[in-house]
Amino acid sequence: MQGFDLATPTTVDEAVALLAREGSLAIAGGTDLLPNIKHELFEPRTVVALGGIEELRGIELESDGTLSIGATTTLAHVAAHDEVRCRATALAQAASLVAGPQLRTMGTLGGNVLLDTRCQWYNQSYFWRQSLGFCLKKDGSVCHVIESGSKCVAAASNDTAAPLLTLDAELEFASNTGRRRLPIAELYKSDGVANLRKEPGELLVRVRIPALETGRERLGAYGKLRERGSIDFPLLGVAVRLDVVDDRIVHAALGAIALQARPLALQKAAAALIDAPASGPGFDDAVLACAAAAARQLHPVANVPGDAQWRKEMAPVYVRETVRAARAGTGPVHGR
Ligand SMILES: Cc1cc2nc3c(=O)[nH]c(=O)nc-3n(C[C@H](O)[C@H](O)[C@H](O)COP(=O)(O)OP(=O)(O)OC[C@H]3O[C@@H](n4cnc5c(N)ncnc54)[C@H](O)[C@@H]3O)c2cc1C
Ligand code: SF4
């Protein structure tokens, strides 16, 4: 692995001053950053370790009911936390399905939100990539997924992005010019080379999930298609949020990942659920209409491993089963 300097700040101010220097990159759990450095995909001069910064850690319930999660809170902690499981069920379930236990113990929510896009032609060693003549995302000028394509379509593969999208999460960033808040829906763009609307020197401080409106019950679930029962990145991820009042769905949101460079909001699929009964034949009909609408929007390509046609056929199945699991409280949905 290429060498780098390691900086160990203890405050946000120190960290953003270090990150403002050219060639600096933040490291949280390092579970994605270090493989990427080994593969010569990232070539930092300085790596800024975030583990010593108290402000970035922990989960709090703010006085107005907002759930505030520090960027370096581990995925294992997010998955197991009672308030997250209750108020953001799909997020807890998604965190519980990332990689395997060791990686969830090191990997953080912030690192997951800001994960680089993935592609089976990109997440490979230098030697492997060189043998193909590289590609648009790093060192080359062609795309191996969309032949003659001029745009990289590497996939957003971060499990927690889909539930955070459905939960209208807000992100707090710090930089050497101050702080800003950004709705997660505005973070991602459809450019696989660089899919984040984030300046290189910005540090993610916290992720906030707004409180639920009074009188509503919030249900949620996450569904993850993968070939093995553990370790694998998603071949498709589906997050569902249902807000229910008096057995009627008053608000629904669905998010999907591992398709394109940004997580997708499935608005037409969600619309099929809004105002539907939350049980009985009316619910069953709405779920089938939701799954059919999602199938029309989801078009997997050969960016991540797994047959694209199989992923397409599984999309309505995962949407249907994840909505049902949200209602029944039986999520997550995963496996083949
Ligand atoms: C075998 C294997 C399987 C995996 N499976 C999955 C999977 O199923 N699903 C999944 O989503 N991920 C998976 N991952 C990827 C990774 O483990 C997780 O996404 C994890 O959450 C990354 O968090 P981290 O803290 O380790 O991030 P790091 O590797 O430390 O950082 C990731 C990126 O975020 C940046 N960053 C981190 N924190 C901040 C911050 N606070 N502010 C600014 N920038 C920051 C880093 O500079 C880097 O670019 C897998 C990894 C491996 C090795
Ligand atoms: S989608 Fe194309 S350009 Fe992007 S990483 Fe994959 S092969 Fe490279």
Side-chain angles (χ1 to χ4, degrees):
M1 179 163 64
Q2 179 195 306
F4 50 77
D5 294 329
L6 181 69
T8 53
T10 54
T11 65
V12 167
D13 285 350
E14 281 171 28
V16 295
L18 288 158
L19 287 169
R21 296 185 195 160
E22 209 185 320
S24 293
L25 277 181
I27 185 167
T31 60
D32 195 62
L33 187 90
L34 289 174
N36 289 350
I37 295 175
K38 288 180 180 173
H39 287 166
E40 299 180 52
L41 299 169
F42 294 176
E43 295 156 322
R45 264 183 256 151
T46 305
V47 169
V48 181
L50 306 180
I53 306 174
E54 180 76 35
E55 187 186 340
L56 303 183
R57 284 186 227 133
I59 301 177
E60 286 161 25
L61 194 59
E62 295 179 351
S63 55
D64 65 354
T66 299
L67 192 59
S68 169
I69 308 178
T72 61
T73 308
T74 66
L75 293 165
H77 192 178
V78 170
H81 197 277
D82 285 344
E83 294 291 356
V84 182
R85 287 158 59 103
C86 171
R87 292 165 187 269
T89 309
L91 172 64
Q93 292 181 4
S96 80
L97 295 184
V98 171
Q102 295 95 332
L103 289 154
R104 291 193 293 273
T105 303
M106 285 302 292
T108 66
L109 183 64
N112 197 255
V113 168
L114 301 177
L115 191 75
D116 190 21
T117 53
R118 294 186 63 83
C119 173
Q120 58 183 334
W121 311 100
Y122 166 75
N123 293 98
Q124 305 287 353
S125 68
Y126 185 89
F127 172 77
W128 196 104
R129 292 183 294 115
Q130 186 183 39
S131 71
L132 276 191
F134 302 108
C135 77
L136 279 171
K137 186 159 161 68
K138 184 81 172 75
D139 303 322
S141 58
V142 293
C143 176
H144 306 296
V145 174
I146 310 286
E147 279 181 37
S148 74
S150 57
K151 192 174 167 190
C152 170
V153 293
S157 303
N158 37 354
D159 283 295
T160 67
L164 288 171
L165 195 64
T166 66
L167 291 161
D168 302 322
E170 187 184 67
L171 309 173
E172 180 181 340
F173 286 101
S175 71
N176 63 350
T177 57
R179 297 207 180 199
R180 67 166 177 142
R181 292 192 181 196
L182 183 74
I184 196 163
E186 293 174 26
L187 176 68
Y188 300 104
K189 54 183 178 171
S190 58
D191 176 0
V193 173
N195 77 333
L196 301 175
R197 290 191 182 90
K198 167 190 167 305
E199 296 303 321
E202 280 187 306
L203 175 74
L204 179 60
V205 177
R206 296 196 84 80
V207 176
R208 289 192 176 81
I209 297 167
L212 185 63
E213 284 177 41
T214 319
R216 291 188 181 191
E217 182 188 12
R218 183 188 286 168
L219 307 171
Y222 185 67
K224 176 167 176 169
L225 177 68
R226 57 185 172 182
E227 291 193 344
R228 298 176 294 184
S230 185
I231 300 284
D232 287 350
F233 278 91
L235 303 181
L236 170 72
V238 177
V240 173
R241 166 185 171 183
L242 305 175
D243 290 2
V244 175
V245 176
D246 294 335
D247 204 40
R248 185 156 291 276
I249 299 169
V250 295
H251 177 76
L254 278 83
I257 51 149
L259 295 150
Q260 302 179 8
R262 63 186 172 89
L264 298 179
L266 306 182
Q267 279 150 347
K268 287 188 180 159
L273 296 170
I274 295 173
D275 275 339
S279 59
F283 176 69
D284 297 339
D285 291 347
V287 173
L288 295 181
C290 167
R296 286 191 288 276
Q297 191 181 340
L298 301 181
H299 302 287
V301 293
N303 45 7
V304 297
D307 179 67
Q309 183 59 29
W310 175 62
R311 289 162 63 216
K312 180 161 180 59
E313 287 171 21
M314 292 305 279
V317 177
Y318 266 66
V319 169
R320 186 188 72 209
E321 293 305 315
T322 308
V323 176
R324 286 178 179 162
R327 180 66 192 105
T330 54
V333 175
H334 63 110
R336 284 185 72 105

PDB file of all heavy atoms in Angstrom, residues 78-109:
ATOM      1  N   VAL A  78     -25.723   1.615  15.756  1.00  0.00           N
ATOM      2  CA  VAL A  78     -26.959   2.090  15.119  1.00  0.00           C
ATOM      3  C   VAL A  78     -27.978   0.950  15.048  1.00  0.00           C
ATOM      4  O   VAL A  78     -29.159   1.118  15.379  1.00  0.00           O
ATOM      5  CB  VAL A  78     -26.659   2.637  13.697  1.00  0.00           C
ATOM      6  CG1 VAL A  78     -27.942   2.919  12.925  1.00  0.00           C
ATOM      7  CG2 VAL A  78     -25.793   3.904  13.783  1.00  0.00           C
ATOM      8  N   ALA A  79     -27.512  -0.226  14.652  1.00  0.00           N
ATOM      9  CA  ALA A  79     -28.425  -1.368  14.464  1.00  0.00           C
ATOM     10  C   ALA A  79     -29.068  -1.807  15.775  1.00  0.00           C
ATOM     11  O   ALA A  79     -30.209  -2.271  15.786  1.00  0.00           O
ATOM     12  CB  ALA A  79     -27.657  -2.534  13.847  1.00  0.00           C
ATOM     13  N   ALA A  80     -28.334  -1.653  16.882  1.00  0.00           N
ATOM     14  CA  ALA A  80     -28.809  -2.196  18.157  1.00  0.00           C
ATOM     15  C   ALA A  80     -29.524  -1.164  19.029  1.00  0.00           C
ATOM     16  O   ALA A  80     -30.119  -1.524  20.041  1.00  0.00           O
ATOM     17  CB  ALA A  80     -27.619  -2.769  18.934  1.00  0.00           C
ATOM     18  N   HIS A  81     -29.476   0.101  18.653  1.00  0.00           N
ATOM     19  CA  HIS A  81     -29.978   1.167  19.537  1.00  0.00           C
ATOM     20  C   HIS A  81     -31.518   1.180  19.568  1.00  0.00           C
ATOM     21  O   HIS A  81     -32.165   1.220  18.528  1.00  0.00           O
ATOM     22  CB  HIS A  81     -29.453   2.515  19.035  1.00  0.00           C
ATOM     23  CG  HIS A  81     -29.554   3.603  20.039  1.00  0.00           C
ATOM     24  ND1 HIS A  81     -30.703   4.330  20.248  1.00  0.00           N
ATOM     25  CD2 HIS A  81     -28.651   4.081  20.926  1.00  0.00           C
ATOM     26  CE1 HIS A  81     -30.499   5.224  21.197  1.00  0.00           C
ATOM     27  NE2 HIS A  81     -29.254   5.091  21.623  1.00  0.00           N
ATOM     28  N   ASP A  82     -32.072   1.174  20.774  1.00  0.00           N
ATOM     29  CA  ASP A  82     -33.530   1.073  20.916  1.00  0.00           C
ATOM     30  C   ASP A  82     -34.278   2.203  20.209  1.00  0.00           C
ATOM     31  O   ASP A  82     -35.294   1.968  19.551  1.00  0.00           O
ATOM     32  CB  ASP A  82     -33.919   1.059  22.403  1.00  0.00           C
ATOM     33  CG  ASP A  82     -33.613  -0.290  23.033  1.00  0.00           C
ATOM     34  OD1 ASP A  82     -33.402  -1.260  22.267  1.00  0.00           O
ATOM     35  OD2 ASP A  82     -33.562  -0.365  24.276  1.00  0.00           O
ATOM     36  N   GLU A  83     -33.801   3.468  20.363  1.00  0.00           N
ATOM     37  CA  GLU A  83     -34.520   4.591  19.726  1.00  0.00           C
ATOM     38  C   GLU A  83     -34.455   4.493  18.205  1.00  0.00           C
ATOM     39  O   GLU A  83     -35.399   4.853  17.512  1.00  0.00           O
ATOM     40  CB  GLU A  83     -33.930   5.941  20.186  1.00  0.00           C
ATOM     41  CG  GLU A  83     -34.128   6.252  21.653  1.00  0.00           C
ATOM     42  CD  GLU A  83     -35.597   6.529  22.022  1.00  0.00           C
ATOM     43  OE1 GLU A  83     -36.456   6.545  21.129  1.00  0.00           O
ATOM     44  OE2 GLU A  83     -35.861   6.708  23.218  1.00  0.00           O
ATOM     45  N   VAL A  84     -33.326   4.024  17.672  1.00  0.00           N
ATOM     46  CA  VAL A  84     -33.220   3.884  16.207  1.00  0.00           C
ATOM     47  C   VAL A  84     -34.157   2.772  15.743  1.00  0.00           C
ATOM     48  O   VAL A  84     -34.900   2.925  14.762  1.00  0.00           O
ATOM     49  CB  VAL A  84     -31.768   3.594  15.767  1.00  0.00           C
ATOM     50  CG1 VAL A  84     -31.670   3.513  14.247  1.00  0.00           C
ATOM     51  CG2 VAL A  84     -30.813   4.646  16.307  1.00  0.00           C
ATOM     52  N   ARG A  85     -34.150   1.665  16.457  1.00  0.00           N
ATOM     53  CA  ARG A  85     -35.016   0.538  16.068  1.00  0.00           C
ATOM     54  C   ARG A  85     -36.490   0.933  16.094  1.00  0.00           C
ATOM     55  O   ARG A  85     -37.287   0.473  15.269  1.00  0.00           O
ATOM     56  CB  ARG A  85     -34.780  -0.646  16.997  1.00  0.00           C
ATOM     57  CG  ARG A  85     -33.436  -1.341  16.721  1.00  0.00           C
ATOM     58  CD  ARG A  85     -32.948  -2.122  17.913  1.00  0.00           C
ATOM     59  NE  ARG A  85     -33.874  -3.133  18.314  1.00  0.00           N
ATOM     60  CZ  ARG A  85     -33.742  -4.434  18.057  1.00  0.00           C
ATOM     61  NH1 ARG A  85     -32.708  -4.843  17.390  1.00  0.00           N
ATOM     62  NH2 ARG A  85     -34.634  -5.290  18.462  1.00  0.00           N
ATOM     63  N   CYS A  86     -36.848   1.818  17.031  1.00  0.00           N
ATOM     64  CA  CYS A  86     -38.244   2.208  17.188  1.00  0.00           C
ATOM     65  C   CYS A  86     -38.630   3.335  16.212  1.00  0.00           C
ATOM     66  O   CYS A  86     -39.657   3.276  15.555  1.00  0.00           O
ATOM     67  CB  CYS A  86     -38.428   2.642  18.642  1.00  0.00           C
ATOM     68  SG  CYS A  86     -39.975   3.390  18.979  1.00  0.00           S
ATOM     69  N   ARG A  87     -37.785   4.377  16.089  1.00  0.00           N
ATOM     70  CA  ARG A  87     -38.135   5.569  15.316  1.00  0.00           C
ATOM     71  C   ARG A  87     -37.664   5.507  13.867  1.00  0.00           C
ATOM     72  O   ARG A  87     -38.129   6.269  13.026  1.00  0.00           O
ATOM     73  CB  ARG A  87     -37.513   6.818  15.960  1.00  0.00           C
ATOM     74  CG  ARG A  87     -38.112   7.147  17.286  1.00  0.00           C
ATOM     75  CD  ARG A  87     -37.271   8.127  18.070  1.00  0.00           C
ATOM     76  NE  ARG A  87     -37.809   8.282  19.399  1.00  0.00           N
ATOM     77  CZ  ARG A  87     -38.705   9.207  19.748  1.00  0.00           C
ATOM     78  NH1 ARG A  87     -39.123  10.071  18.862  1.00  0.00           N
ATOM     79  NH2 ARG A  87     -39.162   9.263  20.978  1.00  0.00           N
ATOM     80  N   ALA A  88     -36.689   4.649  13.580  1.00  0.00           N
ATOM     81  CA  ALA A  88     -36.115   4.571  12.232  1.00  0.00           C
ATOM     82  C   ALA A  88     -35.807   3.097  11.947  1.00  0.00           C
ATOM     83  O   ALA A  88     -34.660   2.715  11.706  1.00  0.00           O
ATOM     84  CB  ALA A  88     -34.865   5.428  12.161  1.00  0.00           C
ATOM     85  N   THR A  89     -36.875   2.304  11.968  1.00  0.00           N
ATOM     86  CA  THR A  89     -36.724   0.842  11.904  1.00  0.00           C
ATOM     87  C   THR A  89     -35.936   0.395  10.673  1.00  0.00           C
ATOM     88  O   THR A  89     -35.051  -0.472  10.773  1.00  0.00           O
ATOM     89  CB  THR A  89     -38.122   0.189  11.895  1.00  0.00           C
ATOM     90  OG1 THR A  89     -38.865   0.739  12.984  1.00  0.00           O
ATOM     91  CG2 THR A  89     -38.055  -1.315  12.033  1.00  0.00           C
ATOM     92  N   ALA A  90     -36.247   0.987   9.529  1.00  0.00           N
ATOM     93  CA  ALA A  90     -35.572   0.560   8.291  1.00  0.00           C
ATOM     94  C   ALA A  90     -34.078   0.868   8.361  1.00  0.00           C
ATOM     95  O   ALA A  90     -33.250   0.104   7.839  1.00  0.00           O
ATOM     96  CB  ALA A  90     -36.197   1.252   7.084  1.00  0.00           C
ATOM     97  N   LEU A  91     -33.709   1.978   9.028  1.00  0.00           N
ATOM     98  CA  LEU A  91     -32.286   2.316   9.161  1.00  0.00           C
ATOM     99  C   LEU A  91     -31.580   1.281  10.039  1.00  0.00           C
ATOM    100  O   LEU A  91     -30.488   0.803   9.690  1.00  0.00           O
ATOM    101  CB  LEU A  91     -32.132   3.722   9.757  1.00  0.00           C
ATOM    102  CG  LEU A  91     -30.690   4.112  10.113  1.00  0.00           C
ATOM    103  CD1 LEU A  91     -29.821   4.167   8.860  1.00  0.00           C
ATOM    104  CD2 LEU A  91     -30.663   5.448  10.854  1.00  0.00           C
ATOM    105  N   ALA A  92     -32.190   0.929  11.170  1.00  0.00           N
ATOM    106  CA  ALA A  92     -31.578  -0.069  12.056  1.00  0.00           C
ATOM    107  C   ALA A  92     -31.412  -1.397  11.312  1.00  0.00           C
ATOM    108  O   ALA A  92     -30.367  -2.061  11.410  1.00  0.00           O
ATOM    109  CB  ALA A  92     -32.427  -0.259  13.310  1.00  0.00           C
ATOM    110  N   GLN A  93     -32.438  -1.760  10.535  1.00  0.00           N
ATOM    111  CA  GLN A  93     -32.363  -3.029   9.799  1.00  0.00           C
ATOM    112  C   GLN A  93     -31.288  -2.978   8.716  1.00  0.00           C
ATOM    113  O   GLN A  93     -30.536  -3.946   8.526  1.00  0.00           O
ATOM    114  CB  GLN A  93     -33.726  -3.369   9.190  1.00  0.00           C
ATOM    115  CG  GLN A  93     -34.771  -3.697  10.251  1.00  0.00           C
ATOM    116  CD  GLN A  93     -36.123  -4.063   9.674  1.00  0.00           C
ATOM    117  OE1 GLN A  93     -36.293  -4.151   8.449  1.00  0.00           O
ATOM    118  NE2 GLN A  93     -37.091  -4.295  10.550  1.00  0.00           N
ATOM    119  N   ALA A  94     -31.203  -1.858   8.000  1.00  0.00           N
ATOM    120  CA  ALA A  94     -30.175  -1.736   6.948  1.00  0.00           C
ATOM    121  C   ALA A  94     -28.780  -1.817   7.562  1.00  0.00           C
ATOM    122  O   ALA A  94     -27.898  -2.513   7.055  1.00  0.00           O
ATOM    123  CB  ALA A  94     -30.358  -0.424   6.189  1.00  0.00           C
ATOM    124  N   ALA A  95     -28.585  -1.106   8.689  1.00  0.00           N
ATOM    125  CA  ALA A  95     -27.266  -1.139   9.350  1.00  0.00           C
ATOM    126  C   ALA A  95     -26.930  -2.558   9.791  1.00  0.00           C
ATOM    127  O   ALA A  95     -25.776  -2.987   9.710  1.00  0.00           O
ATOM    128  CB  ALA A  95     -27.261  -0.181  10.543  1.00  0.00           C
ATOM    129  N   SER A  96     -27.946  -3.312  10.214  1.00  0.00           N
ATOM    130  CA  SER A  96     -27.704  -4.676  10.708  1.00  0.00           C
ATOM    131  C   SER A  96     -27.315  -5.637   9.585  1.00  0.00           C
ATOM    132  O   SER A  96     -26.823  -6.730   9.861  1.00  0.00           O
ATOM    133  CB  SER A  96     -28.945  -5.213  11.433  1.00  0.00           C
ATOM    134  OG  SER A  96     -29.904  -5.681  10.497  1.00  0.00           O
ATOM    135  N   LEU A  97     -27.565  -5.226   8.332  1.00  0.00           N
ATOM    136  CA  LEU A  97     -27.262  -6.116   7.197  1.00  0.00           C
ATOM    137  C   LEU A  97     -26.010  -5.697   6.427  1.00  0.00           C
ATOM    138  O   LEU A  97     -25.639  -6.339   5.445  1.00  0.00           O
ATOM    139  CB  LEU A  97     -28.445  -6.163   6.223  1.00  0.00           C
ATOM    140  CG  LEU A  97     -29.747  -6.771   6.741  1.00  0.00           C
ATOM    141  CD1 LEU A  97     -30.783  -6.820   5.617  1.00  0.00           C
ATOM    142  CD2 LEU A  97     -29.535  -8.168   7.301  1.00  0.00           C
ATOM    143  N   VAL A  98     -25.358  -4.624   6.838  1.00  0.00           N
ATOM    144  CA  VAL A  98     -24.132  -4.213   6.136  1.00  0.00           C
ATOM    145  C   VAL A  98     -23.045  -5.259   6.416  1.00  0.00           C
ATOM    146  O   VAL A  98     -22.794  -5.629   7.570  1.00  0.00           O
ATOM    147  CB  VAL A  98     -23.646  -2.826   6.614  1.00  0.00           C
ATOM    148  CG1 VAL A  98     -22.254  -2.514   6.053  1.00  0.00           C
ATOM    149  CG2 VAL A  98     -24.630  -1.742   6.211  1.00  0.00           C
ATOM    150  N   ALA A  99     -22.395  -5.732   5.369  1.00  0.00           N
ATOM    151  CA  ALA A  99     -21.198  -6.587   5.482  1.00  0.00           C
ATOM    152  C   ALA A  99     -21.392  -7.693   6.520  1.00  0.00           C
ATOM    153  O   ALA A  99     -22.364  -8.447   6.472  1.00  0.00           O
ATOM    154  CB  ALA A  99     -19.989  -5.707   5.790  1.00  0.00           C
ATOM    155  N   GLY A 100     -20.442  -7.824   7.466  1.00  0.00           N
ATOM    156  CA  GLY A 100     -20.519  -8.831   8.522  1.00  0.00           C
ATOM    157  C   GLY A 100     -20.204  -8.181   9.866  1.00  0.00           C
ATOM    158  O   GLY A 100     -19.904  -6.984   9.928  1.00  0.00           O
ATOM    159  N   PRO A 101     -20.239  -8.961  10.956  1.00  0.00           N
ATOM    160  CA  PRO A 101     -20.099  -8.367  12.296  1.00  0.00           C
ATOM    161  C   PRO A 101     -18.817  -7.551  12.493  1.00  0.00           C
ATOM    162  O   PRO A 101     -18.865  -6.459  13.067  1.00  0.00           O
ATOM    163  CB  PRO A 101     -20.119  -9.580  13.229  1.00  0.00           C
ATOM    164  CG  PRO A 101     -20.790 -10.655  12.461  1.00  0.00           C
ATOM    165  CD  PRO A 101     -20.493 -10.401  11.014  1.00  0.00           C
ATOM    166  N   GLN A 102     -17.668  -8.035  12.043  1.00  0.00           N
ATOM    167  CA  GLN A 102     -16.425  -7.282  12.267  1.00  0.00           C
ATOM    168  C   GLN A 102     -16.488  -5.922  11.571  1.00  0.00           C
ATOM    169  O   GLN A 102     -16.064  -4.909  12.129  1.00  0.00           O
ATOM    170  CB  GLN A 102     -15.203  -8.049  11.728  1.00  0.00           C
ATOM    171  CG  GLN A 102     -14.917  -9.362  12.441  1.00  0.00           C
ATOM    172  CD  GLN A 102     -15.539 -10.539  11.705  1.00  0.00           C
ATOM    173  OE1 GLN A 102     -16.549 -10.402  11.021  1.00  0.00           O
ATOM    174  NE2 GLN A 102     -14.943 -11.709  11.854  1.00  0.00           N
ATOM    175  N   LEU A 103     -17.015  -5.933  10.341  1.00  0.00           N
ATOM    176  CA  LEU A 103     -17.064  -4.676   9.571  1.00  0.00           C
ATOM    177  C   LEU A 103     -18.081  -3.706  10.161  1.00  0.00           C
ATOM    178  O   LEU A 103     -17.888  -2.495  10.123  1.00  0.00           O
ATOM    179  CB  LEU A 103     -17.376  -4.982   8.100  1.00  0.00           C
ATOM    180  CG  LEU A 103     -16.206  -5.663   7.384  1.00  0.00           C
ATOM    181  CD1 LEU A 103     -16.679  -6.499   6.225  1.00  0.00           C
ATOM    182  CD2 LEU A 103     -15.193  -4.647   6.927  1.00  0.00           C
ATOM    183  N   ARG A 104     -19.163  -4.228  10.766  1.00  0.00           N
ATOM    184  CA  ARG A 104     -20.139  -3.330  11.403  1.00  0.00           C
ATOM    185  C   ARG A 104     -19.600  -2.776  12.722  1.00  0.00           C
ATOM    186  O   ARG A 104     -20.038  -1.732  13.184  1.00  0.00           O
ATOM    187  CB  ARG A 104     -21.474  -4.060  11.652  1.00  0.00           C
ATOM    188  CG  ARG A 104     -22.229  -4.401  10.385  1.00  0.00           C
ATOM    189  CD  ARG A 104     -23.641  -4.820  10.678  1.00  0.00           C
ATOM    190  NE  ARG A 104     -23.743  -6.077  11.386  1.00  0.00           N
ATOM    191  CZ  ARG A 104     -23.781  -7.280  10.814  1.00  0.00           C
ATOM    192  NH1 ARG A 104     -23.694  -7.389   9.497  1.00  0.00           N
ATOM    193  NH2 ARG A 104     -23.903  -8.383  11.531  1.00  0.00           N
ATOM    194  N   THR A 105     -18.663  -3.488  13.327  1.00  0.00           N
ATOM    195  CA  THR A 105     -18.053  -3.015  14.576  1.00  0.00           C
ATOM    196  C   THR A 105     -17.071  -1.883  14.296  1.00  0.00           C
ATOM    197  O   THR A 105     -16.890  -0.989  15.113  1.00  0.00           O
ATOM    198  CB  THR A 105     -17.328  -4.186  15.276  1.00  0.00           C
ATOM    199  OG1 THR A 105     -18.298  -5.213  15.482  1.00  0.00           O
ATOM    200  CG2 THR A 105     -16.751  -3.782  16.617  1.00  0.00           C
ATOM    201  N   MET A 106     -16.429  -1.904  13.142  1.00  0.00           N
ATOM    202  CA  MET A 106     -15.497  -0.831  12.749  1.00  0.00           C
ATOM    203  C   MET A 106     -16.204   0.233  11.900  1.00  0.00           C
ATOM    204  O   MET A 106     -15.956   1.425  12.059  1.00  0.00           O
ATOM    205  CB  MET A 106     -14.353  -1.410  11.911  1.00  0.00           C
ATOM    206  CG  MET A 106     -13.315  -2.178  12.688  1.00  0.00           C
ATOM    207  SD  MET A 106     -12.543  -1.200  13.978  1.00  0.00           S
ATOM    208  CE  MET A 106     -11.613  -0.002  13.025  1.00  0.00           C
ATOM    209  N   GLY A 107     -17.049  -0.188  10.976  1.00  0.00           N
ATOM    210  CA  GLY A 107     -17.654   0.727   9.993  1.00  0.00           C
ATOM    211  C   GLY A 107     -18.638   1.668  10.665  1.00  0.00           C
ATOM    212  O   GLY A 107     -19.344   1.301  11.599  1.00  0.00           O
ATOM    213  N   THR A 108     -18.708   2.896  10.158  1.00  0.00           N
ATOM    214  CA  THR A 108     -19.532   3.936  10.783  1.00  0.00           C
ATOM    215  C   THR A 108     -20.683   4.352   9.869  1.00  0.00           C
ATOM    216  O   THR A 108     -20.663   4.105   8.653  1.00  0.00           O
ATOM    217  CB  THR A 108     -18.674   5.177  11.073  1.00  0.00           C
ATOM    218  OG1 THR A 108     -18.247   5.733   9.810  1.00  0.00           O
ATOM    219  CG2 THR A 108     -17.456   4.822  11.917  1.00  0.00           C
ATOM    220  N   LEU A 109     -21.661   5.032  10.494  1.00  0.00           N
ATOM    221  CA  LEU A 109     -22.783   5.532   9.690  1.00  0.00           C
ATOM    222  C   LEU A 109     -22.284   6.582   8.696  1.00  0.00           C
ATOM    223  O   LEU A 109     -22.676   6.563   7.526  1.00  0.00           O
ATOM    224  CB  LEU A 109     -23.866   6.125  10.605  1.00  0.00           C
ATOM    225  CG  LEU A 109     -25.106   6.610   9.860  1.00  0.00           C
ATOM    226  CD1 LEU A 109     -25.830   5.457   9.175  1.00  0.00           C
ATOM    227  CD2 LEU A 109     -26.057   7.357  10.777  1.00  0.00           C
TER     228      LEU A 109
END
